[in-house]
């Protein structure tokens, strides 16, 4: 990389000088770093489990997000989250990385306002375009993290071809996507899951994979997911426009795909449960697009530590939400109990959804409006899959297993608008929450 404007001085050493020039050019006057706003109340050191709010799918300037990771981390910390996982595409926030200065100034202006006392290293690339150096997570983590109050986790979105994307968390080395043709998407999911599942940290802890947005590019079907035994997590909600959480007039929603996978797995395959996450997949922090604050997980853990958060998720002790908050959700013996944290003037519908043993497993191709088969899409199954066993409009409700359910999961829909976290504008749907599938006897 040449730095033509500044003679033979190395890019990094010269960064301060160039930045001074760049700041003048951009009209940016950096101020003193303001004190960080108070985070949520700290938990005492006891081991009573509590709920921790986290977003586990986040992009920044390290890939195709439109803001600095520090600004993004601060946004989540200031908006009631206790943890955030950075999941840029096929990259970890470590090492040296330069990015061309964004044309829009919003991110730079926010950075100046929030972190004015900090220098931003810059240089010119071969095309004499200004670049800035991105700060690795290890260098800014301490500024935001607080024990038992806020945690930043290094992750990555293993971004393969043809819309095959998987999240992996708490990494210290990169996991590469396997590649393949469109016809090999099922194989690609399986192989990427295997690579992530093989990943062990220095303590030997295993990692799990989350399949992202199955309906993005209509890439992933229930039939691809069901037989992959180690695929135990997927996104039932992802905030990006174009990921088609709700399917379309003919094709299955992610919620429906969940039931189909669970029924196929827990029926003939005798396989494992599939858990659902809601995530922001945040890319756009200045309004619109895939904004932050729309979908997250609430994880029940005694402490706010990466290993304990991931262990709790591994046990299924979490729920996904786009706004509905639960005081409690649990199975006690043969009963599932749900208690909603009510908001003023908001009504709730709690549905207990599941599939019974002996369900009709037959399926037929999914057809479009003209009766033509839609290729590479989840097949059409009977309504015995994903039956609503019970409904309640109460804040507290329960469901008693009758004994013939393969699984039961909880879906709550409120009358409150689902809104964007930056603009506060309604997104055209209502707030929801999804509990994890439960079975009478834990496997
Ligand atoms: Zn993705
Ligand atoms: Zn993403």
């Amino acid at each position: 990389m040449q730095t033509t404007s500044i003679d033979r001085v190395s890019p990094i050493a010269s960064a301060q000088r160039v930045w001074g020039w760049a700041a003048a050019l951009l009209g940016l006057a950096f101020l003193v770093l303001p004190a960080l706003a108070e985070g949520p109340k700290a938990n005492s050191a006891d081991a009573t489990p509590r709920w921790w709010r986290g977003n586990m799918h986040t992009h920044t300037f390290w890939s195709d997000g439109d803001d600095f990771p520090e600004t993004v981390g601060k946004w989540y910390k200031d908006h009631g989250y206790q943890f955030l996982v950075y999941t840029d595409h096929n990259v970890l926030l470590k090492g040296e990385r330069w990015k061309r200065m964004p044309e829009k100034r919003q991110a730079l202006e926010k950075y100046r306002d929030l972190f004015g006392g900090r220098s931003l290293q810059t240089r010119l690339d071969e095309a004499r375009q200004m670049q800035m150096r991105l700060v690795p997570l290890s260098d800014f983590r301490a500024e935001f993290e607080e024990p038992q109050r806020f945690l930043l986790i290094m992750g990555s979105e293993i971004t393969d071809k043809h819309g095959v994307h998987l999240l992996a968390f708490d990494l210290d080395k990169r996991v590469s996507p396997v590649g393949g043709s469109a016809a090999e998407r099922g194989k690609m999911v399986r192989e990427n899951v295997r690579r992530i599942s093989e990943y062990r940290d220095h303590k030997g802890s295993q990692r799990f994979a989350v399949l992202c947005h199955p309906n993005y590019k209509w890439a992933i079907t229930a039939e691809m997911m069901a037989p992959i035994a180690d695929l135990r997590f997927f996104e039932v909600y992802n905030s990006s426009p174009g990921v088609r959480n709700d399917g379309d007039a003919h094709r299955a929603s992610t919620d429906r795909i969940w039931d189909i996978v669970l029924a196929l797995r827990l029926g003939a395959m005798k396989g494992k449960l599939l858990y659902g996450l809601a995530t922001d997949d945040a890319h756009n922090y200045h309004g619109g697009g895939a904004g932050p604050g729309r979908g997250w997980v609430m994880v029940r853990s005694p402490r706010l530590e990466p290993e304990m958060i991931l262990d709790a998720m591994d046990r299924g002790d979490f729920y996904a939400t786009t706004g509905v908050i639960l005081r409690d959700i649990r199975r006690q013996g043969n009963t599932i109990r749900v208690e909603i944290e009510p908001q003023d003037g908001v009504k709730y519908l709690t549905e207990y959804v599941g599939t019974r043993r002996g369900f009709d497993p037959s399926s037929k191709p999914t057809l479009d409006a003209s009766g033509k088969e839609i290729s590479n899409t989840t097949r059409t199954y009977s309504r015995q899959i994903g039956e609503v066993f019970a409904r309640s409009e109460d804040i507290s409700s329960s469901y008693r297993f009758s004994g013939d359910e393969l699984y039961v999961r909880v879906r709550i829909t409120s009358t409150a608008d689902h809104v964007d976290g930056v603009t506060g504008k309604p997104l055209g749907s209502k707030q929801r929450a999804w509990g994890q599938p439960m079975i009478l006897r834990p496997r």
Side-chain angles (χ1 to χ4, degrees), residues 150-217:
F150 192 71
L151 176 69
L152 295 170
I153 299 175
M154 182 92 88
S156 184
E157 183 170 8
I158 317 304
T159 309
D160 214 330
K161 295 176 177 166
H162 312 294
V164 175
H165 298 184
L166 291 122
L167 302 175
F169 309 129
D170 200 19
L171 302 176
D172 53 21
K173 66 176 190 288
R174 209 168 78 84
V175 178
S176 306
V178 297
S181 68
E184 293 174 312
R185 279 180 285 216
K187 208 171 111 188
M188 286 158 70
V189 174
R190 182 187 297 276
E191 184 57 19
N192 283 307
V193 167
R194 191 187 64 74
R195 284 191 181 184
I196 296 166
S197 306
E198 273 181 2
Y199 182 101
R200 287 173 191 275
D201 69 6
H202 60 282
K203 288 183 282 187
S205 300
Q206 204 174 350
R207 294 289 171 258
F208 57 74
V210 177
L211 181 79
C212 303
H213 45 61
N215 283 345
Y216 171 59
K217 298 187 176 180

Side-chain angles (χ1 to χ4, degrees), residues 77-97:
K77 185 172 181 179
D78 289 350
H79 287 78
Y81 290 72
Q82 285 86 50
F83 68 99
L84 175 68
V85 190
Y86 292 106
T87 55
D88 274 302
H89 297 285
N90 293 332
V91 67
L92 297 177
L93 277 60
K94 61 192 288 189
E96 186 176 332
R97 194 167 180 97

Side-chain angles (χ1 to χ4, degrees), residues 95-107:
E96 186 176 332
R97 194 167 180 97
W98 293 84
K99 180 183 169 63
R100 191 170 276 192
M101 282 280 183
E103 279 175 21
K104 288 187 184 164
R105 292 190 187 181
Q106 293 142 308

Side-chain angles (χ1 to χ4, degrees), residues 40 186 285 298 305 329 370 387 409:
Y285 301 93
M298 299 293 287
E305 288 161 19
I329 178 168
S370 65
E387 208 185 313
R409 64 186 181 91

